[in-house]
């Protein structure tokens, strides 16, 4: 196999196997940072050996065996043994005798449990949101620091620093490598779902830069969500989130023109929506509802997305139902953003005047100050009401607030349309 092909194979294997490797190793050494170092050492060894020896039949098992041997060597070192002795209270000589057996047993345990532990550790609330996102993409997504930085338009040193600090924080806080139990599980699971959806949203509607979407991030988030749904199949909100992401991702091909310009939901060619993703999303939504999670925040958002997915054309959308679902969502997870979305649904169901009333009620909310979609939505309502001068001013204000160049161009085009009295496109 040519060296370039071996390199591509190694990269693909790492993306697939790295989370499993790190998860298994973390339980052995009880340190996420050290576990990643061991996994990286195994990767370096593969880069050195595979071009000459060829790719093994089971590359994942080869990487695990190599990393496991390295872990055994480390566990036999005096410093690590002494630390283990202090932490676990074992006799030092007994620890040395049992270290290889303990590692062997750890490798044979259920990898699903290890992955779940890694998910909860990477998304631990002791970390900042930015750190949780970066660490999750690094440890569970298999992304390099460069890839994470490029995805979020951040410098590599900044991302690297976040990851280093996150590992240090986890170590200093002595965060146990375990799945939370009892009353803590709900809070910790919410943190995990938040991180996954933040990653998806940044891919679905990029906050900055020249691209309307960053599909790779959507795919990473979807993969993490699907894995999590398999690990905790009885948690309805996990299925709700997966349903929401599947259905939203189904529109990806229709959301941009050939030149990359955004295409709004009501203007999209629905024949280009991915029907397989829609079916998967609807199935996940049914699963969430069958588990009693119909009133969960992600399940409600998925139900809203399902209304769009089921409408063969834009004019067949059940806007009164969507408005009702947003009202239910505002009761479960109240926020100004939810109210802003509810205003859009209300305007479509009952006219722009009704939507404008909601907008004007929430316009002073601190969370919406500087949020470009507030003047964008208000401009849309005003244009439909024939108040073109006011609409133009709102679109221009929205364009000044957004950091995404594609969205800025769209908003300025709508401002120009309002200026000529043509109103806003639907």
């Amino acid at each position: 196999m040519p060296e370039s092909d071996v390199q591509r194979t190694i990269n693909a294997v790492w993306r697939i196997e790295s989370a499993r490797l790190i998860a298994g190793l973390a339980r052995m050494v009880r340190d996420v940072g050290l576990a990643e170092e061991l996994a990286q050492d195994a990767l370096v060894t593969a880069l050195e050996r595979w071009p000459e020896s060829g790719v093994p039949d089971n590359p994942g098992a080869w990487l695990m065996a190599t990393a496991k041997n390295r872990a055994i060597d480390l566990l036999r070192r005096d410093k690590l043994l002494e630390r283990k002795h202090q932490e676990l209270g074992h006799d030092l000589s007994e620890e040395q005798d049992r270290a290889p057996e303990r590692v062997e047993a750890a490798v044979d345990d259920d990898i699903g449990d290890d992955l779940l532990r890694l998910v909860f550790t990477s998304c631990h609330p002791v970390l900042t949101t930015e750190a949780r996102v970066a660490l999750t993409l690094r440890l569970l997504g298999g992304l390099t620091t460069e890839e994470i930085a490029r995805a979020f338009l951040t410098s590599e040193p900044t991302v690297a620093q976040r990851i280093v600090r996150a590992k240090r924080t986890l170590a200093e806080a002595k965060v146990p490598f375990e799945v939370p139990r009892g009353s803590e599980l709900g809070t910790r699971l919410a943190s995990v779902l938040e991180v996954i959806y933040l990653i998806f949203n940044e891919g679905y509607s990029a906050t900055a830069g020249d691209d309307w979407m960053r599909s790779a991030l959507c795919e990473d988030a979807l993969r993490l969500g699907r894995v999590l749904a398999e690990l905790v199949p009885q948690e309805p909100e996990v299925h709700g989130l997966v349903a929401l992401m599947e259905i939203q991702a189904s529109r990806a091909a229709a959301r941009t023109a050939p030149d990359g310009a955004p295409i709004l939901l009501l203007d999209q060619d629905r024949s280009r929506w991915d029907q397989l993703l829609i079916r998967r999303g609807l199935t996940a939504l049914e699963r969430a509802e069958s588990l009693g999670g119909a009133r969960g925040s992600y399940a409600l958002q998925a139900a809203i997305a399902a209304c769009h997915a089921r409408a063969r054309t834009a004019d067949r959308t059940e806007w009164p139902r969507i408005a009702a679902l947003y009202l239910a969502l505002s009761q479960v997870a109240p926020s100004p953003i939810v109210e802003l979305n509810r205003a859009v649904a209300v305007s479509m169901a009952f006219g722009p005047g009704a939507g404008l009333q909601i907008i004007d009620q929430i316009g002073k909310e601190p969370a919406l100050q500087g949020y470009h979609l507030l003047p964008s939505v208000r401009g849309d309502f005003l244009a439909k009401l024939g108040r073109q001068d006011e609409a133009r001013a709102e679109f221009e204000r929205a364009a000044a607030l957004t950091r995404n160049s594609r969205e800025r161009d769209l908003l300025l085009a709508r401002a120009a349309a309002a200026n000529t009295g043509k109103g806003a496109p639907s």
Side-chain angles (χ1 to χ4, degrees):
M1 183 183 292
E3 187 171 342
S4 60
D5 290 343
V6 173
Q7 179 70 55
R8 283 194 294 270
T9 300
I10 292 173
N11 290 338
V13 169
W14 177 254
R15 182 63 64 93
I16 295 168
E17 298 287 347
S18 61
R20 187 177 71 88
L21 270 173
I22 295 168
L25 292 165
R27 179 163 42 80
M28 298 176 205
V29 299
R30 299 292 167 180
D31 185 317
V32 170
L34 178 57
E36 190 194 11
E37 289 177 17
L38 290 167
Q40 290 282 355
D41 285 346
L43 176 64
V44 170
T45 304
L47 289 168
E48 293 171 348
R49 296 185 184 178
W50 290 5
E52 294 182 4
S53 64
V55 178
D57 292 337
N58 190 335
W62 189 98
L63 288 169
M64 179 59 87
T66 302
K68 176 194 70 175
N69 290 333
R70 177 70 172 148
I72 291 173
D73 290 340
L74 283 175
L75 284 168
R76 283 174 171 155
R77 290 183 182 177
D78 287 343
K79 278 189 177 181
L80 188 56
L81 286 173
E82 182 180 354
R83 191 178 73 192
K84 290 296 173 186
H85 175 68
Q86 293 171 347
E87 291 176 355
L88 305 176
H90 292 317
D91 177 78
L92 186 60
S93 60
E94 180 185 351
E95 177 70 17
Q96 182 155 357
D97 291 339
R98 295 180 56 195
E101 291 83 357
R102 184 164 58 81
V103 173
E104 291 285 357
V107 170
D108 294 334
D109 278 355
D110 184 4
I111 191 62
D113 289 343
D114 286 341
L115 280 174
L116 197 55
R117 292 184 185 102
L118 186 59
V119 167
F120 280 104
T121 301
S122 301
C123 298
H124 198 282
V126 73
L127 303 175
T128 65
T129 300
E130 292 82 3
R132 280 182 274 158
V133 167
L135 195 62
T136 297
L137 286 173
R138 177 64 173 265
L139 300 184
L140 289 157
L143 274 66
T144 64
T145 302
E146 179 186 2
E147 288 171 327
I148 298 169
R150 189 167 60 246
F152 285 90
L153 301 182
T154 309
S155 69
E156 279 190 64
T158 297
V159 172
Q161 192 174 53
R162 285 176 186 170
I163 293 171
V164 169
R165 285 177 177 171
K167 294 175 185 175
R168 186 188 306 132
T169 299
L170 291 173
E172 291 174 351
K174 299 188 183 329
V175 172
F177 188 68
E178 63 184 20
V179 177
R181 305 293 178 187
S183 60
E184 187 185 7
L185 177 60
T187 302
R188 294 282 301 280
L189 183 60
S191 176
V192 172
L193 298 180
E194 177 191 23
V195 168
I196 294 174
Y197 196 41
L198 279 171
I199 295 169
F200 181 86
N201 267 339
E202 183 57 33
Y204 191 71
S205 298
T207 55
D210 298 327
D211 297 316
W212 178 241
M213 290 187 67
R214 299 191 186 109
S215 298
L217 279 178
C218 291
E219 292 165 6
D220 287 326
L222 255 177
R223 180 160 56 89
L224 291 172
R226 290 167 182 164
V227 168
L228 186 60
E230 292 180 2
L231 295 174
V232 284
Q234 299 304 312
E235 292 292 336
E237 271 292 74
V238 176
H239 296 287
L241 175 58
V242 171
L244 174 59
M245 293 191 297
E246 299 274 15
I247 296 172
Q248 287 184 321
S250 73
R251 308 172 195 154
R255 294 188 76 231
T256 54
D259 63 357
I263 301 176
L264 299 179
L265 177 62
L266 300 185
D267 298 324
Q268 290 171 16
D269 177 359
R270 300 189 177 209
S271 68
R272 301 190 66 201
W273 288 2
D274 189 320
Q275 294 301 312
L276 174 60
L277 289 179
I278 289 174
R279 287 195 297 273
R280 293 181 67 155
L282 295 177
T283 298
L285 178 57
E286 290 174 4
R287 176 68 172 158
E289 292 172 344
S290 70
L291 290 169
R295 295 277 298 179
S297 63
Y298 291 111
L300 284 168
Q301 291 175 76
I304 291 167
C307 288
H308 293 295
R310 293 186 178 109
R312 305 305 289 265
T313 59
D315 58 5
R316 295 176 65 179
T317 305
E318 294 185 76
W319 287 108
R321 173 167 168 73
I322 292 176
L325 287 168
Y326 270 120
L327 181 60
L329 181 61
S330 70
Q331 295 166 351
V332 172
S335 81
I337 304 298
V338 171
E339 282 299 289
L340 181 62
N341 287 320
R342 186 171 76 88
V344 173
V346 167
S347 76
M348 296 299 294
F350 308 110
L356 188 61
Q357 286 183 354
I358 298 174
I359 288 290
D360 289 342
Q361 289 171 3
I362 62 174
K364 300 297 183 183
E365 288 282 349
L368 295 178
Q369 302 311 303
Y371 186 51
H372 69 284
L373 289 182
L374 176 64
S376 173
V377 170
R378 194 168 190 276
D380 181 60
F381 295 166
L382 290 168
K384 289 175 179 176
L385 290 168
R387 296 159 60 176
Q388 302 300 336
D389 289 342
E390 295 172 83
R392 183 185 69 253
E394 294 288 0
F395 287 135
E396 289 173 347
R397 184 159 74 94
L401 289 172
T402 185
R403 293 185 295 136
N404 185 286
S405 63
R406 294 289 186 180
E407 195 164 24
R408 185 180 304 113
D409 291 343
L410 173 65
L411 290 164
L412 290 175
R414 299 189 75 178
N419 193 42
T420 59
K422 294 179 180 178
S426 60

